[in-house]
Amino acid sequence: MDNTSTISTPSAPKKKRYKNSYKTTMRKWCWLFLGPVLIAFIIGFVWPFIWGIYLSLCKFRVVSETELVGFENYIKVFKDAGFMHAFWYTALFAVVSLVLINILAFMVALALTRGIKGSNLFRTVFFMPNLIGGIVLGYIWSMIFDGILSNFGTSILLDSKYGFWGLIILMCWQQIGYMMIIYIAGLQNIPDDMLEAAKIDGATSVQTLFKITIPNVMPSITICMFLSLTNGFKLFDQNLALTGGQPITMSPDGTIVKSTEMLALNIYTTFYGSNSGAQGTAQAKAVIFFILVAGLGLAQLAITRKKEVQQ
Amino acid sequence: MSKSRRILAMALSATMGLTMLAGCNNSGTSSTPNNTSSGNQSTPNNSGNSGDASNGKVYWLNFKPEADGTLQEIAKTYKDQKGVDVKVVTAASGSYSQTLTAEMDKSNPPTIFNVGNALGVKDWKDFALDLKGTAIANELNSDASNLYDETGKLVSIPYAMECYGIIVNKDLVEQAGHNVADIKNFETLKTVVEDIHSRASELGFDAFTSCDMDSSSSWRFTGHMINLEYFYEQKDNHWTECPATISGDYVDKFKNLYDLCVDNSISTRAELATGGHDPSQQFKDKKAAFTVQGSWEYSGIVEAGLTNVTMIPYYCGVEGEEKAGLNSGTENCWAINSKVSEADQQATMDFLVWCVTDPDTSAKLVKEFGAMPYKSAAASENAFLAAANDYANDGCYTMNWATNFQPNVDEYRNVFVSALNAYNANPSDTTWEAVKTAIVAGWATQYNAINS
């Protein structure tokens, strides 16, 4: 290789030469490694995304035959009472699930890093629900909830309160184990000397938790909050399988509100459940949905990153 | 040297990229149908002069999950006999619209698909070949169930005639000391049903199977039983297109029959929202004497060993209902994709004609579908369809499938099911009023949704 001779040249500072040759090599070979990923990214994300934005401005039945209609679809979205309800319902769900999942996952992680017997077994067991698909979970939990609620002559499909808390319980059960793993990794990274110093200084366990542990696991908190927030907003399978939007109420003037329908399900039912002009409206909803989730996710990342400390 | 390496690197990454692209392409065969065929209005006929059928392929996106086995078998037979590939894909129950939308966008879209009601015609008319005067349309023995668009284009033609009503196990009714022949109206039905239900533990069977309201069963009420309401509304002047509003004059008659079924069934009202009881199996297991179902159940019932079965109309308390017949019609209709190549259209046409004229094949299909409205198709052995004919021959009025006009059907039924769930949880005038709203105001809302 020509750069071997460059490295072995005795003149000039070796380090600089090595750096230059490294740069040259990287420049030469980077496309070999970046190329496939870049192509995959363009095919799998960039192109569908651009195409999706275009479709949101069109009327179509199948995506190969479209008719441009401008911003008509977006106007329809904001006039859709069902979408606005789904938005606020999703926001409420995302906030409640974010708080509960993170607090509980952190508590479980704390408990399982104390060196108690069988920690590894517990970690595995807590993580396992995450391996089951959302649709299956939804149906299983609907049976569990209805098994209990039928004793009181009701069902999860009959009251939106049951639907909401049912979904929260399901999501906590599924997500706590996953977030717990991330928190455990963060907790194990806290330098022992720091904890020891706190102990020597006479810090109480509460002080240690808030002054040492939490600031040191901020990177884990950031990622866990990001994941649970976006997961909450994007939730689809569990929502579809557990309640499917029921109970649905209809006022005499014909307005329909699906009381437990979240944003992603609303987009899906709009796309498949309505007339041939609704596919464009559903696409416009999807674009708004993306902006919303991306915006919220990035804002949350920026805020929590500020609280991270250097070890 | 360095330049050559750079070129090599670029070439390698391009090759990898292309390999991935090739992987994305799912067309495994060399013959690619022309997806952008402009011959939308071409009408292939059986003579084969508008496309070479031997180069064509057939892809049937099947609407009836229960028929999948038979259709796969027929596809194989056709390949063996004629050498033409026939692909049959069956959409999961309740997801036909989603599957069709997705499949239509592919490079090898279905050549045969189902367009079974007014909404289907509205959505898919631009993708359907005009079947007027084609070889398959000429084989029909009746044009009563053909579906046309507003320009008079024949969008789809029926391939299975069906009927629905209340299926009765005559043996069980007799065991309880009654006779099916005595059931002539709502009052007589009520007497028999309530008597059986009150003695269920003594008899070892109940009157009705579970009236589950989960998605696998709710359509029996929100799609079928509600037909009695629509039918009586338009009895003297059948709808030819979806009306903007309905009066709901017969909603209370629907309530009569619905309450009778629910109150005298195996399951209590509280269990219905979640469902999961498998009413069909309950009937086959002789756990109930009555079930709300259709003619497509016949082969399964016979296989389960029940032979002394019949079907009776939806008696609901309407005046003169002694002259009611069964609900006859279909939503199983073939449309041929006009966007595929002419060779594929021709191959599809030839295949469909073969299905309804070949004695063995039509016999298999008739066994599966009940009856096929084609001149050369095998005769039906379905006792329920025979019962429908008997009622008609006795001068009873046949109840047409006005339910096929339900606007924005999935959404309409979702709201309807939810209202029925609330009613079942707490049966009262208020909750029934909500059911009525879902039926009547829901119709107008969904009509506006699809026509806005």
Side-chain angles (χ1 to χ4, degrees), chain A residues 1-2 28-29 31-32 35-36 39-40 43 61-65 142 146 153-155 157-158 246-248 250-256 258 268-269 271-276, chain B residues 2 5-6 9-10 12-13 16-17 20-21 24 97-98 101 104-105 123-124 127 270 273-274 339 408 411 414-415 417-418 421-422 425 437-438 441-442 445-446 449-450 452:
Chain A
M1 282 172 83
D2 53 350
K28 257 191 258 165
W29 290 97
W31 289 108
L32 175 65
I39 291 168
I43 295 170
R61 175 82 230 177
V62 293
V63 296
S64 46
E65 286 178 32
S142 77
D146 278 335
T154 186
S155 155
L157 301 175
L158 294 173
Q246 290 208 63
I248 306 170
M250 182 169 199
S251 53
D253 69 352
T255 315
I256 295 167
K258 295 183 176 178
Y268 175 82
T269 50
F271 195 93
Y272 289 114
S274 304
N275 63 324
S276 44
Chain B
S2 113
R5 275 169 195 276
R6 191 172 299 153
M10 296 286 274
L12 274 170
S13 49
M16 283 174 80
M20 287 166 64
L21 279 172
C24 294
S97 168
Q98 290 90 319
T101 306
M104 277 298 195
D105 250 331
D123 282 348
W124 296 105
F127 293 79
T274 320
K339 310 272 176 179
N408 208 5
E411 285 293 279
N414 281 343
V415 180
V417 166
S418 192
N421 280 339
T437 304
T445 300
Q446 299 303 345
I450 58 166
S452 63

Side-chain angles (χ1 to χ4, degrees), chain B residues 74-89:
Chain B
I74 283 167
K76 195 173 172 296
T77 312
Y78 195 67
K79 168 78 180 164
D80 294 344
Q81 284 186 14
K82 312 275 180 179
V84 176
D85 283 324
V86 178
K87 176 171 142 188
V88 176
V89 172

Side-chain angles (χ1 to χ4, degrees), chain A residues 34-304:
Chain A
L34 278 182
V37 178
L38 202 63
I39 291 168
F41 184 66
I42 290 168
I43 295 170
F45 183 80
V46 179
W47 177 242
F49 185 66
I50 294 168
W51 187 235
I53 292 173
Y54 168 72
L55 285 175
S56 72
L57 304 170
C58 295
K59 186 183 171 191
F60 63 93
R61 175 82 230 177
V62 293
V63 296
S64 46
E65 286 178 32
T66 55
E67 180 197 332
L68 209 61
V69 292
F71 286 94
E72 200 181 284
N73 290 326
Y74 287 90
I75 296 166
K76 278 186 193 164
V77 172
F78 290 107
K79 282 184 183 166
D80 183 350
F83 184 74
M84 298 316 284
H85 175 272
F87 170 76
W88 289 112
Y89 184 76
T90 310
L92 179 67
F93 174 83
V95 171
V96 174
S97 68
L98 178 140
V99 172
L100 284 178
I101 289 172
N102 283 286
I103 291 177
L104 293 171
F106 188 74
M107 282 163 64
V108 175
L110 270 181
L112 295 182
T113 44
R114 295 274 155 109
I116 55 170
K117 221 176 177 184
S119 284
N120 281 339
L121 178 73
F122 283 122
R123 285 178 196 178
T124 315
V125 170
F126 279 118
F127 183 76
M128 276 166 81
N130 199 61
L131 304 174
I132 309 172
I135 290 281
V136 179
L137 274 188
Y139 283 116
I140 292 172
W141 276 94
S142 77
M143 282 186 251
I144 296 173
F145 290 132
D146 278 335
I148 299 164
L149 291 171
S150 62
N151 294 323
F152 303 95
T154 186
S155 155
I156 192 161
L157 301 175
L158 294 173
D159 192 326
S160 54
K161 278 201 296 287
Y162 301 146
F164 181 81
W165 288 108
L167 211 51
I168 292 280
I169 293 169
L170 191 163
M171 281 303 281
C172 283
W173 187 76
Q174 187 182 22
Q175 300 265 300
I176 283 172
Y178 188 77
M179 302 303 165
M180 172 201 76
I181 296 288
I182 301 174
Y183 281 127
I184 286 177
L187 289 170
Q188 286 174 338
N189 270 340
I190 301 174
D192 285 342
D193 48 0
M194 222 183 244
L195 291 168
E196 227 171 78
K199 209 173 180 182
I200 293 163
D201 288 347
T204 62
S205 55
V206 176
Q207 280 173 324
T208 313
L209 178 69
F210 285 100
K211 305 279 182 191
I212 309 287
T213 313
I214 291 180
N216 273 294
V217 293
M218 270 320 279
S220 301
I221 293 175
T222 306
I223 191 72
C224 284
M225 284 180 74
F226 176 79
L227 285 176
S228 43
L229 184 74
T230 51
N231 281 347
F233 265 93
K234 293 189 302 181
L235 193 72
F236 174 74
D237 329 19
Q238 292 86 341
N239 188 203
L240 177 73
L242 192 70
T243 61
Q246 290 208 63
I248 306 170
T249 51
M250 182 169 199
S251 53
D253 69 352
T255 315
I256 295 167
V257 174
K258 295 183 176 178
S259 58
T260 61
E261 186 179 66
M262 296 175 68
L263 278 176
L265 184 61
N266 180 275
I267 294 169
Y268 175 82
T269 50
T270 308
F271 195 93
Y272 289 114
S274 304
N275 63 324
S276 44
Q279 281 75 25
T281 315
Q283 194 59 46
K285 285 181 179 180
V287 171
I288 295 171
F289 179 66
F290 169 81
I291 295 168
L292 192 80
V293 175
L296 277 170
L298 291 174
Q300 181 268 325
L301 273 183
I303 294 165
T304 42

Side-chain angles (χ1 to χ4, degrees), chain B residues 324-399:
Chain B
L326 299 180
N327 302 262
S328 297
T330 188
E331 53 177 358
N332 301 293
C333 298
W334 281 323
I336 296 182
N337 192 342
S338 62
K339 310 272 176 179
V340 296
S341 70
E342 289 191 10
D344 285 356
Q345 290 177 21
Q346 189 58 53
T348 303
M349 187 66 72
D350 293 349
F351 170 71
L352 292 183
V353 171
W354 176 79
C355 282
V356 299
T357 53
D358 183 76
D360 290 344
T361 309
S362 78
K364 276 183 198 162
L365 286 173
V366 165
K367 193 176 172 213
E368 187 62 55
F369 294 147
M372 296 181 84
Y374 291 90
K375 293 173 202 163
S376 322
S380 169
E381 292 172 357
N382 188 303
F384 301 144
L385 290 162
N389 285 335
D390 291 345
Y391 277 107
N393 294 337
D394 289 348
C396 297
Y397 51 82
T398 297
M399 297 170 77

